[in-house]
Amino acid sequence: MSSYAARRTALRQKLQAANLDALLVTNLLNVRYLTGFTGSNGAVLIGAQGEDLFCTDGRYLTQSAKQVPDLQRLIDRPCDLALAKKAKGRLGFESHHVTVDGLEHLTKAADRAELTRAGGLVEALRLVKDEVEIEALRMACAAADRALAALIGHGGLRPGRTEREVARELESRMLDHGAEGPSFSSIVAFGANSAVPHHSPTDATLHTGDFVKLDFGALVDGYHSDMTRTLVLGKPADWQRDLYDLVARSQAAGRAALAPGTKTGRVDLASREVIEKAGHGNEFLHGLGHGVGLEIHEAPALSKAGDGTLSAGMAVTVEPGVYLSGRGGVRIEDTLVVRESGPELLTLTTKELVVV
């Protein structure tokens, strides 16, 4: 059984538990997760008893035959309405994805079915990654690791370079090392800009003594990596070493707390307590981390308000930061997989303070 077939089988169990006869999946990431289809227009009707039907339009006739060889295909447009017309009984739909106007059209098309809200069913499956997904994440993390090593090794961090120049080179090097593209717009922040958690690269130039904060990731087979490293150009000042060591201890505490059965809020607390005890709680401005997979930000959320529970196979980031406005900030972030034997680290670049 392919991984896609196994996922559809797992979804069927959820449909049966919810007393649904079928689920109309229209979110393209969920369609990809269940079928392998990567085109821009597609939907799939998953039957509770195993009668599935995939739909796309004529542009993807050849592509869908290759990517979705194990499902019956319908070539039509719009796909959601074409599939809704085929449905009978209690038909679940992705209510978190369908618009108000879209629901009106679906209701008219599904004249032999009873539409029922069923948002989040596929996302609940996506919380726990299978080994095929984890390997894609591992490859994405490796591409980012190698790109950073190449950037540093070829002198990419030197006085006078701009944040934009470094961001462009870093993203280019990820492509050189097997990425389909960046996971998101890279964050490159020099000096005082490193105190802005989600700083967008500018023409600010790099100077000796600056913190260099790099938050970036690679996309491989649709899966995203996410990593942040903070470096120093030239000899670091004592305050920079102290701040870095604090965040490193916080990050280690967060990683150590990743275990099946642990509440997500407890993981955040384990990391946050280290920073709060050092008197910098007000400078830790965001949650500890998030799930990562087909989306760069997905469940579960590791935050103070998080009430979920970790399970083996979840892929998450751990990324504490302390940001001293007008001076500089440090964030250290890894992508990891929750395992019974302890978290598996996917981003392997050193977390020692790198002095360039």
Side-chain angles (χ1 to χ4, degrees):
M1 181 183 292
S2 72
S3 58
Y4 301 114
R7 295 167 194 170
R8 296 194 297 269
T9 295
L11 179 58
R12 261 185 269 285
Q13 295 173 0
K14 289 187 173 293
L15 300 186
Q16 292 165 9
N19 194 29
L20 292 173
D21 294 297
L23 176 67
L24 177 60
V25 181
T26 51
N27 180 308
L28 277 173
L29 287 179
N30 289 341
V31 173
R32 178 172 186 164
Y33 176 77
L34 294 170
T35 69
F37 179 68
T38 62
S40 65
N41 182 42
V44 63
L45 186 66
I46 303 295
Q49 303 304 320
E51 296 181 358
D52 304 333
L53 180 60
F54 172 80
C55 180
T56 188
D57 64 68
R59 296 172 297 164
Y60 296 109
L61 186 64
T62 301
Q63 178 179 332
S64 63
K66 181 178 180 181
Q67 292 184 327
V68 195
D70 55 341
L71 291 184
Q72 181 182 351
R73 283 185 305 157
L74 176 65
I75 305 301
D76 204 341
R77 194 167 188 168
C79 287
D80 56 345
L81 304 187
L83 291 176
K85 292 176 182 178
K86 301 286 186 181
K88 299 178 182 178
R90 297 189 75 237
L91 174 62
F93 69 97
E94 294 188 302
S95 52
H96 62 305
H97 181 250
V98 175
T99 66
V100 173
D101 288 347
L103 177 58
E104 182 178 346
H105 296 311
L106 275 180
T107 301
K108 293 177 181 178
D111 54 1
R112 296 185 296 171
E114 175 192 349
L115 285 174
T116 303
R117 293 175 182 267
L121 286 183
V122 181
E123 283 82 357
L125 290 177
R126 285 171 47 194
L127 272 168
V128 175
K129 273 59 180 179
D130 58 38
E131 291 303 320
V132 172
E133 294 179 281
I134 292 171
E135 181 58 24
L137 287 168
R138 191 177 289 117
M139 292 171 62
C141 290
D145 280 327
R146 292 167 184 159
L148 178 55
L151 174 74
I152 296 171
H154 288 84
L157 297 175
R158 59 184 183 271
R161 295 207 81 190
T162 69
E163 293 170 339
R164 286 195 177 99
E165 287 171 340
V166 171
R168 285 195 294 267
E169 180 177 345
L170 184 56
E171 293 181 356
S172 176
R173 290 192 180 279
M174 285 192 283
L175 294 175
D176 292 341
H177 289 281
E180 300 161 10
S183 289
F184 52 91
S185 296
S186 300
I187 296 171
V188 176
F190 300 157
N193 289 341
S194 62
V196 180
H198 270 207
H199 173 73
S200 296
T202 68
D203 288 326
T205 55
L206 183 56
H207 298 89
T208 300
D210 279 351
F211 267 140
V212 178
K213 186 180 70 186
L214 306 170
D215 186 346
F216 62 104
L219 184 66
V220 173
D221 289 339
Y223 285 80
H224 302 72
S225 71
D226 198 356
M227 176 170 69
T228 305
R229 292 295 185 265
T230 306
L231 308 84
V232 177
L233 182 65
K235 183 180 179 180
D238 289 344
W239 74 270
Q240 290 175 314
R241 284 196 179 276
D242 291 344
L243 188 62
Y244 191 91
D245 289 345
L246 172 61
V247 176
R249 287 188 285 111
S250 171
Q251 210 256 355
R255 296 197 321 268
L258 293 176
T262 303
K263 292 293 185 180
T264 55
R266 182 66 188 85
V267 180
D268 180 278
L269 181 62
S271 184
R272 194 173 299 276
E273 280 181 334
V274 175
I275 292 173
E276 289 178 340
K277 288 177 181 178
H280 287 289
N282 290 335
E283 285 91 31
F284 185 176
L285 304 172
H286 50 74
L288 178 64
H290 54 86
V292 63
L294 285 170
E295 296 176 272
I296 186 60
H297 292 99
E298 56 184 48
L302 306 184
S303 67
K304 289 190 288 187
D307 60 357
T309 302
L310 295 179
S311 298
M314 288 183 174
V316 298
T317 67
V318 174
E319 49 180 302
V322 176
Y323 310 94
L324 306 182
S325 181
R327 298 185 72 189
V330 173
R331 181 163 66 249
I332 304 171
E333 175 187 20
D334 285 311
T335 298
L336 309 100
V337 177
V338 180
R339 300 286 198 184
E340 293 288 351
S341 57
E344 178 186 353
L345 184 64
L346 300 187
T347 40
L348 303 181
T349 296
T350 182
K351 285 181 284 294
E352 297 295 324
L353 177 58
V354 173
V355 178
V356 181

